[in-house]
Amino acid sequence: MDTYILEKEIEKMLDVEAHRVFDILWNMTKKHKKTTKSYVDLVYDTIDDNYKCYFFEILHRINKLIPLDWCVNPEKGYIFILENEYIKQQELKQQEIFEKKEKINKNIINDVTNFIINSFENNKLENHSIMYFFSHYYGKYGKLDYDYEQVTILIRKIINNIGNHYKVLKLDPLSLELKE
């Protein structure tokens, strides 16, 4: 058999399998059937065993069959979702993340500020730096992975809060005095 003809036959077989799998997934979406599997796992499980060796190629071909205003749902549940629904979901998730971080930031600022003021008022600053007081609470909120600027902004806000009642003389070791 000519190589060109062989390749064309294989291409045709892969297209047929990709269409078959896509039709199954699309029908599941249209019938509002949810899945607990990821998209990739579902495609793999749906592909005929004889074509598993071409999994990535078939997956690629299936992705090309998805209508323009639809996309793969990265969450478990419906296989395909409208792009505008996906965008709304992502915006809601981002808003939730923002609100959670905002609450954590406010708590850290208030907790550290109160810890420093209480330590100062009880003569227990004990030559600790601002980082000692900050890290005492930072770690209590789980793995935050804040970068340099985020941590610096939090410390600046803590210093500003302390500055409402006390004059900050030095950060290492932390030194305060009453405002006059």
Side-chain angles (χ1 to χ4, degrees):
M1 181 177 254
D2 184 332
T3 303
Y4 177 77
I5 294 172
L6 173 71
E7 288 178 7
K8 285 296 177 192
E9 286 294 316
I10 290 173
E11 294 280 326
K12 193 163 120 181
M13 291 167 35
L14 294 176
D15 278 341
V16 168
E17 182 62 8
H19 276 86
R20 184 188 73 78
V21 172
F22 174 77
D23 287 343
I24 291 169
L25 301 178
W26 188 251
N27 285 333
M28 287 175 69
T29 299
K30 288 299 184 185
K31 292 179 181 178
H32 302 288
K33 290 186 180 177
K34 293 184 178 183
T35 181
T36 58
K37 294 182 181 181
S38 71
Y39 172 69
V40 172
D41 289 341
L42 190 60
V43 169
Y44 186 81
D45 290 348
T46 308
I47 290 175
D48 185 290
D49 288 341
N50 297 322
Y51 292 96
K52 298 244 192 238
C53 57
Y54 282 107
F55 169 70
F56 290 108
E57 181 60 30
I58 292 172
L59 180 65
H60 177 70
R61 290 170 189 245
I62 291 169
N63 290 342
K64 288 182 175 182
L65 296 172
I66 300 170
L68 288 177
D69 54 342
W70 289 78
C71 64
V72 172
N73 185 359
E75 307 293 326
K76 293 177 180 165
Y78 298 119
I79 299 154
F80 303 112
I81 59 172
L82 288 165
E83 283 182 347
N84 61 359
E85 286 179 36
Y86 172 73
I87 291 168
K88 285 178 193 173
Q89 286 177 1
Q90 293 308 307
E91 288 173 350
L92 285 174
K93 280 185 183 179
Q94 290 296 358
Q95 183 64 31
E96 287 172 9
I97 290 169
F98 174 78
E99 289 171 359
K100 181 180 176 185
K101 282 191 173 184
E102 187 176 46
K103 183 178 178 183
I104 289 171
N105 292 347
K106 286 179 182 179
N107 288 340
I108 289 173
I109 291 166
N110 291 333
D111 290 346
V112 175
T113 299
N114 292 334
F115 182 36
I116 290 171
I117 290 172
N118 288 336
S119 295
F120 175 73
E121 289 174 351
N122 292 309
N123 293 320
K124 293 188 177 185
L125 288 180
E126 299 177 5
N127 289 326
H128 292 296
S129 75
I130 185 75
M131 298 311 291
Y132 167 82
F133 295 98
F134 181 78
S135 65
H136 184 77
Y137 282 96
Y138 180 79
K140 292 184 178 186
Y141 288 94
K143 190 173 183 180
L144 297 176
D145 291 329
Y146 284 4
D147 65 14
Y148 170 86
E149 288 187 23
Q150 291 169 312
V151 171
T152 303
I153 288 169
L154 290 175
I155 291 174
R156 187 178 305 125
K157 288 181 178 184
I158 292 164
I159 301 290
N160 287 340
N161 280 357
I162 294 169
N164 291 333
H165 306 285
Y166 300 96
K167 186 175 179 184
V168 178
L169 303 173
K170 197 172 170 189
L171 297 180
D172 188 20
L174 186 60
S175 179
L176 307 176
E177 71 178 27
L178 279 170
K179 277 189 169 180
E180 293 181 24

